[in-house]
Amino acid sequence: VGWSFSVIVVVVVVVFFSLLLLPLFLQQQRDQSRALLTGKPNGTFLIRTKPNCPPGETHTHTIDIWFSTMKHIRVFRDEYGAFGFSAPFIFRTLQELIEHYSMESLVKHNADLPTKLAHPIGYKILSEHGFAKFQT
């Protein structure tokens, strides 16, 4: 392949430290979400993108939602690009999933979440990405 020993060492070191720091980054994101959501009305939510999502990984986003405490909902994407919380994935876009669960309860996916996605944090960001329900 023509890779020198020093290039291989650099790649190994970068991968090693990336794996070490990823849990810290994820925890920081989670802590920031908790700070933004704590004390907000039930149904207040935000969407986090999973960083460095490798090819073939199906867990692409997490919805953090406040319902008396912070809860997390993993969002998956299948090989056809459809989104959902569990198979079968029926939403063509993340926007469709969010808009659907702003009208339907999350309870069928999580018995501890008898609420809807009601109050987005960062609605301006959502509206900039075409989330019509949240446009101002």
Side-chain angles (χ1 to χ4, degrees), residues 19 22 25-26 29 48-62 74-78 83:
L19 292 174
L22 185 59
F25 177 73
L26 292 175
Q29 278 193 325
R48 289 188 287 131
T49 301
K50 186 173 178 187
N52 303 323
C53 192
E57 174 67 52
T58 58
H59 172 208
T60 59
H61 296 81
T62 299
R74 295 168 104 191
V75 178
F76 298 91
R77 190 170 191 187
D78 69 13
F83 292 89

Side-chain angles (χ1 to χ4, degrees), residues 57-76:
E57 174 67 52
T58 58
H59 172 208
T60 59
H61 296 81
T62 299
I63 297 174
D64 294 333
I65 185 167
W66 185 262
F67 191 77
S68 301
T69 186
M70 191 166 83
K71 309 272 187 188
H72 312 281
I73 307 167
R74 295 168 104 191
V75 178
F76 298 91

Side-chain angles (χ1 to χ4, degrees), residues 74-136:
R74 295 168 104 191
V75 178
F76 298 91
R77 190 170 191 187
D78 69 13
E79 66 272 16
Y80 305 107
F83 292 89
F85 299 137
S86 60
F89 304 117
I90 61 170
F91 301 101
R92 291 177 300 150
T93 64
L94 187 58
Q95 174 184 347
E96 283 183 9
L97 181 142
I98 298 300
E99 289 178 350
H100 175 80
Y101 287 104
S102 70
M103 297 178 282
E104 298 290 327
S105 176
L106 295 160
V107 74
K108 73 179 185 180
H109 293 288
N110 185 330
D112 295 332
L113 279 173
T115 189
K116 300 173 186 173
L117 298 175
H119 312 286
I121 298 277
Y123 66 89
K124 289 182 181 178
I125 294 169
L126 292 175
S127 69
E128 289 169 4
H129 288 89
F131 287 72
K133 177 176 175 43
F134 305 115
Q135 290 181 352
T136 56

Side-chain angles (χ1 to χ4, degrees), residues 1-8:
V1 176
W3 287 40
S4 70
F5 179 75
S6 59
V7 170
I8 293 171

Side-chain angles (χ1 to χ4, degrees), residues 4-61:
S4 70
F5 179 75
S6 59
V7 170
I8 293 171
V9 169
V10 168
V11 169
V12 169
V13 168
V14 167
V15 168
F16 176 76
F17 281 108
S18 296
L19 292 174
L20 275 177
L21 295 175
L22 185 59
L24 296 175
F25 177 73
L26 292 175
Q27 185 60 46
Q28 182 180 11
Q29 278 193 325
R30 196 175 267 213
D31 290 345
Q32 290 170 341
S33 293
R34 184 177 309 284
L36 288 168
L37 294 171
T38 299
K40 298 289 191 279
N42 286 340
T44 301
F45 71 98
L46 58 82
I47 304 167
R48 289 188 287 131
T49 301
K50 186 173 178 187
N52 303 323
C53 192
E57 174 67 52
T58 58
H59 172 208
T60 59
H61 296 81

